[in-house]
């Protein structure tokens, strides 16, 4: 598209913060005025994405429409009057189709604006209703194309899912109408293979036209929008690529084949998710327990990158079962990261409760984890610090955690990272920092909850390499036990893991949110009954 | 329908327990053989409802189909070969329509069986996608009518949402084809006004034909199926009504206009939800904290009704701020109910933690609630007792609870009951028992969390009558702040409540499930972002 200079307004909106979102949009417009002919923003950029059931609310819809009016007026300013702007927003819908049995009363729309005039509005047609997406619940589908001109070239609009797995008729119709460019506002959350699949979807949708894919930036609850807006020419060649950060993107980053499971981009996504959860909920300080183990170490590194080490407090909470290295590893980590470090022994409270209750076995073990939570939440409340819970996806999957104990916390930075990837990320982080930030001993020692003498995770769980391989198939690839067995795993092992997953459903139902990084993260993307006997037969 | 004797197989299935569900179905068939011509079961009765994303799993679909085959063979037995049976189940789907962007691969179906033969299968057409319902996510819609004959009368099938708010064309077409009866398997969860609205929907759908509305019975996670199967003649007159319990219903209960907000049916629904959560997850004993207040008192009564007082343990957990009456009221309650009662002081652990951490204000208050949770969960783990959390909907709405403290628990029996209704139910329960089971002083004293001296709920919250009126409008009637103000409430008050609701979203996201009793219960029926700034502007 040499004839149209395209910019991407890759902003980081907050759901419901119309003033701040509109202000970001205006800033991008001002910056783009001299450099671009066409500026494209992400899906629902003006109101924030995802709205969830807030899309039902007339006050949200009206506030969005008012903010849009204001931006339209703003584009009449002489300096920017030549710029064509595509803005994603929620808009009132007239009526739902008969087949849609929902409370939806709004469209997921994009309005095209130039010189103080609205050139038209496009309403998203394909409404995804899988994984974390609830669009069919929340929005009314549109049915019409919007074609407008920029520099005498015909441009059409599609929104996000519109270009995924669509039949060829629509693309053909666009081509038949002479469309040379399709602009696509997206709310496309990060997963590890998403860069590649976005390009695949875009190329499959193309039919002789160029395609400008505009994404959002930043974290919103359990989703991380990793930017990655891009432009491909009619042949499918990528000619412009944005990074992940918020801002106006006109010039391209170097273009290479996207890497799947890239450690750096995964780490960055976890940092972004944590940073924006803090920023958008108005929390500037973090607390977390440091066990000397690898999960809390990696989580602490993420926290320090997210909000600055000076705002992070790591607390070691030793018990009589804690090994010497637990405390020294925790201390070494905090010192390497430069965050605050305290030691709060759980020994006194543990002894009191132990004597009072006379518990044994797992019940007694859990008390230690829960006393830690009381201490951490006490400091959290006292000092206004967000408590991070540092469980990984493998533990979460099989229920290897103490509810109201180590699972306590407002945000779970590595909840969608399998244990083997926690190791991988930790090694990467040390390489990236070119020094031993995460103690090698934390990486190399056998994982232990240290709730009884000489306890090791592997006393209760399969080897993590094996466990993670099975979990990836069962959870992320939706396989049945039979299918996993057919893939080459032992039936007894797979059934045991499947049973552990099912038995811990209730714990996960009370879990903290954290950044989604895979096709299936525990949370709103996985909706299964707590009560089920399937598989026990 | 004098020519067709209709029975309702109002069973209480467990999701995924094909053997047990099929066995219940066969039992009903045997019992109905001599008494009925037509036996109708509820929606997805064979596999359990709701399935959630388990509907994606080929193993679930195959196991259901195998169980259905077995039942079909069973109906060839000479004694029951004349009986026509309609069974709800999940079934493999061929392909999704283009407009459905989901992972669904199954229909929500009902198969008609007689004498070892399948007369046909009907697939649900209207797939609800609002509140707790995710049918459009989980099922592929059907498009064909199924009309079969019983005693030379034409009978058609519709499933649940199919008859709600449908356009008149379908009913007219059924009438045109000579249909005299429509049988409707339902998975219709209890809410307080549901009996009336079911009949309204059924009558609106009717067009010269009778209608047999078959519901499920029993609790499944956060839903309670209250039975209430019924038969209305072509004129809309109700000629048969079932109760709420599981079993074969052929004879009618007395028919009267259904009462909305009936205390007894509400109490029964809470008991059923609690009982079946225990039964279906294999838990036979309950523990809960007894504060001497009304919420824990009512919850304890529910627990005793659900699983027997001998299986319920109430624990008083006094602190130095507990008043004398707290302990005596708790003890009187346990004694009146006949459940086990213990006293575990939190004083020692509280003192240790208080000295160690030097907390103040709310942080110090919360420690007490969290120490209670550690003690309750310790006993819960040690004695295999399900911990109930006893917060009411008003508290939950405004975040008036301590996370990992009094909010800890696997099931929340009164989470969808406003405080004013907690009082009402407690008074009703004493009247119903014709004695003071719940101490009058628990009902009449000013509510207090007793986390500091002389603390009263009303120091931090609006008057409960006022609070509940506003919450009912904001939450259950989906009103905006402006709309609530227009309904006659003070703007400052409404804004303050709205802000408290928004600020506590993260706590609710980690809350326990409990029985839905209203149009909008906090949980899977309300999907809003944790992070939002709307309303703060």
């Amino acid at each position: 598209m040499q004839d149209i200079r395209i910019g991407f307004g890759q902003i980081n909106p907050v759901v419901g913060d119309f003033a701040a979102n509109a202000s970001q949009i205006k800033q991008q417009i001002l910056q783009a005025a001299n450099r671009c002919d066409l500026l494209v923003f992400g899906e629902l950029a003006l109101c924030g994405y995802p709205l969830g059931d807030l899309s039902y609310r007339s006050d949200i819809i009206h506030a969005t429409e008012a903010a849009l009016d204001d931006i339209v007026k703003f584009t009449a300013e002489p300096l920017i009057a030549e710029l064509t702007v595509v803005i994603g927003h929620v808009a009132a819908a007239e009526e739902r189709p008969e087949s849609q049995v929902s409370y939806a009363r709004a469209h997921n729309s994009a309005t095209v604006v130039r010189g103080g005039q609205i050139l038209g509005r496009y309403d998203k047609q394909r409404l995804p209703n899988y994984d974390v997406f609830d669009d069919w619940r929340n929005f009314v589908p549109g049915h019409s194309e919007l074609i407008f001109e920029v520099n005498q070239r015909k441009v059409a609009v599609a929104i996000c899912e519109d270009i995924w797995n669509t039949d060829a008729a629509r693309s053909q119709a666009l081509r038949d109408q002479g469309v040379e460019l399709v602009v696509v506002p997206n709310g496309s959350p990060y997963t590890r293979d998403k860069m590649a699949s976005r390009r695949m979807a875009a190329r499959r949708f193309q039919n002789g036209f160029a395609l400008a894919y505009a994404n959002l930036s930043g974290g919103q609850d359990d989703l991380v929008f990793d930017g990655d807006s891009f432009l491909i020419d009619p042949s499918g060649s990528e000619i412009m690529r944005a990074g992940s950060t918020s801002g106006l993107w006109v010039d391209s980053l170097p273009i290479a084949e996207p890497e799947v499971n890239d450690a750096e981009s995964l780490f960055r996504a976890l940092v972004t998710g944590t940073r924006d959860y803090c920023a958008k909920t108005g929390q500037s300080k973090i607390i977390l327990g440091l066990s000397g183990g690898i999960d809390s170490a990696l989580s602490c590194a993420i926290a320090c990158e997210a909000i600055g080490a000076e705002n992070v407090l790591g607390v070691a909470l030793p018990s009589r079962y804690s090994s010497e290295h637990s405390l020294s590893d925790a201390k070494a980590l905090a010192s390497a990261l430069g965050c605050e470090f305290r030691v709060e022994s759980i020994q006194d409270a543990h002894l009191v409760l132990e004597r009072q209750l006379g518990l044994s076995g797992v019940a007694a073990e859990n008390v230690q984890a829960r006393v830690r939570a009381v201490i951490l939440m006490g400091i959290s409340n006292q000092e206004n610090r967000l408590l991070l819970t540092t469980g990984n996806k493998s533990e979460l999957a099989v229920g290897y955690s103490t509810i109201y104990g180590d699972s306590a916390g407002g945000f779970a930075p590595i909840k969608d990272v399998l244990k083997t990837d926690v190791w991988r990320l930790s090694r990467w982080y040390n390489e990236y920092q070119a020094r031993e930030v995460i103690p090698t001993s934390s990486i190399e020692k056998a994982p232990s909850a240290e709730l009884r003498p000489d306890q090791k995770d592997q006393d209760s769980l399969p080897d993590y390499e094996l466990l993670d391989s099975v979990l990836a198939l069962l959870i992320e690839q939706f396989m049945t036990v039979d299918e996993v067995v057919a893939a080459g795993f032992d039936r007894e092992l797979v059934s045991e893991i499947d049973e552990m997953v099912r038995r811990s459903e209730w714990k996960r139902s009370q879990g903290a949110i954290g950044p989604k990084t895979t096709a299936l993260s525990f949370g709103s993307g996985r909706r299964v009954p707590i009560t089920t006997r399937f598989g026990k037969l």
Side-chain angles (χ1 to χ4, degrees), chain A:
Chain A
M1 284 277 96
Q2 298 107 309
D3 302 333
I4 307 179
R5 286 164 305 164
I6 299 173
F8 296 95
Q10 201 173 266
I11 67 164
N12 181 359
V14 180
V15 168
D17 195 343
F18 306 103
N21 300 344
S23 152
Q24 281 191 70
I25 288 172
K26 286 184 187 174
Q27 243 173 356
Q28 304 299 313
I29 290 174
L30 279 176
Q31 284 180 33
N34 294 322
R35 301 175 63 193
C36 307
D37 303 303
L38 176 61
L39 176 61
V40 193
F41 290 93
E43 183 173 7
L44 299 185
L46 182 52
C47 47
Y49 175 89
L51 276 180
D53 293 352
L54 296 181
S55 67
Y56 301 156
R57 295 181 60 146
S58 59
D59 48 1
I60 296 265
I61 298 170
H62 294 152
T64 307
E65 290 171 338
L68 182 63
D69 281 351
D70 180 55
I71 293 173
V72 172
K73 288 198 192 87
F74 174 75
T75 61
E77 300 282 335
L79 271 172
I80 51 181
E82 300 298 310
L83 182 68
T84 306
V85 185
V86 182
I87 302 162
H89 62 93
V90 65
E94 297 291 311
E95 56 172 357
R96 276 191 298 275
E98 235 282 304
S99 63
Q100 187 177 24
V101 189
S102 90
Y103 296 156
R105 56 198 285 181
H107 291 295
N108 180 330
S109 306
T111 287
V112 182
V113 182
R114 183 167 57 219
Q117 302 292 319
I118 290 178
L119 304 191
R121 191 183 87 196
Y122 172 82
D123 303 324
K124 187 176 183 178
Q125 301 186 9
R126 276 172 72 77
L127 299 178
N129 209 45
Y130 59 85
D131 190 31
V132 297
F133 304 110
D134 264 325
D135 271 22
W136 186 260
R137 172 184 174 96
N138 294 128
F139 296 110
V140 175
H143 294 284
S144 311
E145 297 294 354
L146 171 66
I147 296 175
F148 59 99
E149 292 199 355
V150 178
N151 299 352
Q152 285 87 51
R153 304 290 186 167
K154 283 192 178 169
V155 182
V157 185
I159 298 179
C160 206
E161 190 76 30
D162 281 333
I163 69 164
W164 292 73
N165 307 310
T166 306
D167 67 17
R170 183 163 177 208
S171 297
Q172 187 60 48
L174 291 174
R175 181 190 191 135
D176 292 346
Q177 287 171 83
V179 166
E180 294 186 73
L181 169 69
V182 176
V183 295
V184 190
N186 291 273
S188 174
Y190 170 82
T191 62
R192 296 199 215 168
D193 53 0
K194 195 56 90 53
M195 287 184 79
S197 56
R198 281 174 193 139
R199 284 155 182 81
M200 242 163 56
R203 288 177 183 134
R204 203 178 289 146
F205 185 75
Q206 284 192 300
N207 190 337
F209 46 76
L211 191 146
Y213 186 103
N215 198 12
L216 302 169
S217 170
Q220 167 72 34
D221 285 348
D222 55 340
L223 301 183
V224 176
F225 301 99
D226 56 332
D228 186 36
S229 298
F230 61 86
L231 174 65
I232 46 181
D233 72 12
S235 76
S237 292
E238 190 170 353
I239 50 180
M240 188 269 161
R241 167 182 299 189
S244 61
T245 52
S246 180
L248 173 68
W249 287 87
V250 181
D251 300 320
S252 182
L253 288 182
I255 289 164
E257 270 314 292
E259 223 179 292
V260 174
N261 284 350
D262 170 55
E264 178 164 1
S265 64
L266 173 55
F267 186 82
R268 292 281 155 236
L270 303 178
V271 169
T272 301
T274 307
R275 180 198 69 206
D276 281 0
Y277 184 74
C278 289
K280 294 181 180 182
T281 57
Q283 303 182 85
S284 56
K285 292 186 292 180
I286 280 177
I287 182 174
L288 76 170
L290 295 183
S291 68
I294 188 69
D295 297 321
S296 56
L298 179 63
S299 299
C300 194
I302 292 166
C304 291
E305 293 272 345
I307 62 161
E310 68 280 13
N311 297 310
V312 175
L313 166 61
V315 183
L317 300 135
S319 77
R320 62 174 176 276
Y321 303 128
S322 300
S323 23
E324 194 51 52
H325 60 75
S326 299
L327 203 57
S328 58
D329 287 344
K331 198 171 172 182
L333 173 84
S335 153
L337 285 168
C339 69
E340 198 181 331
F341 179 69
R342 282 183 223 166
V343 181
E344 292 287 352
S345 165
I346 66 164
Q347 184 65 357
D348 294 348
H350 182 202
L351 274 176
V352 165
L353 287 160
E354 194 171 45
R355 279 186 202 132
Q356 180 171 346
L357 299 173
L359 305 177
S360 58
V362 173
E365 293 179 20
N366 282 336
V367 168
Q368 301 163 64
R370 294 195 181 110
V371 168
R372 291 191 173 108
V374 176
I375 293 173
L376 290 170
M377 282 302 298
I379 303 173
S380 160
N381 289 163
Q382 182 81 9
E383 302 184 5
N384 272 318
R385 291 181 180 273
L386 170 67
L387 173 61
L388 297 187
T389 169
T390 64
N392 61 62
K393 188 176 193 175
S394 313
E395 289 176 356
L396 214 62
V398 297
Y400 196 73
S401 70
T402 300
I403 191 165
Y404 321 125
D406 52 294
S407 74
F411 198 75
I414 58 172
K415 73 173 282 186
D416 199 30
V417 182
L418 290 168
K419 184 77 173 188
T420 46
D421 284 324
V422 172
W423 279 312
R424 201 166 57 88
L425 275 187
S426 300
R427 291 203 171 90
W428 168 82
Y429 187 70
N430 282 352
E431 278 168 32
Y432 175 77
Q433 294 285 336
R435 63 194 177 102
E436 188 180 321
V437 180
I438 296 177
T440 306
S441 117
S442 294
I443 301 177
E444 292 183 351
K445 67 187 164 192
S448 167
E450 296 198 323
L451 297 176
R452 60 173 183 264
D454 298 322
Q455 184 181 33
K456 298 279 174 290
D457 289 13
Q458 251 61 75
D459 303 340
S460 320
L461 298 179
D463 173 79
Y464 274 119
E465 293 284 344
L466 203 52
L467 177 63
D468 285 1
S469 304
V470 171
L471 287 174
L473 299 177
L474 274 180
I475 306 295
E476 293 168 11
Q477 297 198 38
F478 304 88
M479 281 193 187
T480 62
V481 169
D482 284 348
E483 288 164 349
V484 179
V485 171
F489 293 88
D490 175 66
R491 179 172 295 277
E492 203 177 325
L493 172 81
V494 180
S495 297
E496 186 200 339
I497 295 172
D498 187 58
E499 167 70 19
M500 286 192 283
V501 171
R502 205 171 333 95
R503 214 167 40 204
S504 49
E505 217 57 77
W506 78 276
K507 281 192 199 177
R508 281 190 297 276
S509 78
Q510 298 187 26
I513 61 164
K516 171 182 170 72
T517 76
T518 67
L520 203 294
S521 175
F522 294 115
S524 66
R526 182 170 176 276
R527 303 175 190 170
V528 297
I530 291 176
T531 301
T532 161
R533 294 211 187 118
F534 184 66
K536 287 191 188 164
L537 308 177

